[in-house]
Amino acid sequence: MDYQKFYNEIVAWISEVNNKAVQYGLSSNHFWDWVMQSVGQFEVRYNKNELVIKQMVMLVEWLMDMEKRSRGG
């Protein structure tokens, strides 16, 4: 696996997450639909690599925490 490529894609993905959060709102279904679709694309692109899956799970959990904090939780 090309780790440099993967982590460069993660950096770009986080930037796009920020754009989508502004565009749709962190609590919107559109935002979360996009997040889950894009996470699934990573899984497919990297052939269900365990590191990729764990990295994406951690990032989704981080987003869920951010969304919860944005609601005052």
Side-chain angles (χ1 to χ4, degrees):
M1 183 172 118
D2 184 342
Y3 295 102
Q4 185 69 41
K5 178 184 174 199
F6 171 65
Y7 282 105
N8 286 339
E9 287 186 41
I10 291 294
V11 169
W13 183 82
I14 291 170
S15 179
E16 190 62 19
V17 163
N18 291 333
N19 292 337
K20 297 296 184 189
V22 169
Q23 180 180 359
Y24 298 129
L26 201 55
S27 297
S28 74
N29 287 337
H30 287 291
F31 174 76
W32 288 102
D33 288 346
W34 178 85
V35 166
M36 298 316 291
Q37 179 183 17
S38 63
V39 165
Q41 291 169 353
F42 272 93
E43 180 181 346
V44 169
R45 192 164 44 252
Y46 288 95
N47 299 312
K48 298 183 180 182
N49 179 286
E50 186 177 355
L51 172 69
V52 173
I53 292 170
K54 288 183 177 191
Q55 181 70 61
M56 299 314 292
V57 166
M58 185 275 302
L59 288 166
V60 169
E61 288 174 347
W62 169 69
L63 288 172
M64 292 169 72
D65 289 345
M66 286 180 48
E67 192 274 334
K68 184 177 177 181
R69 280 180 282 187
S70 76
R71 290 184 287 119

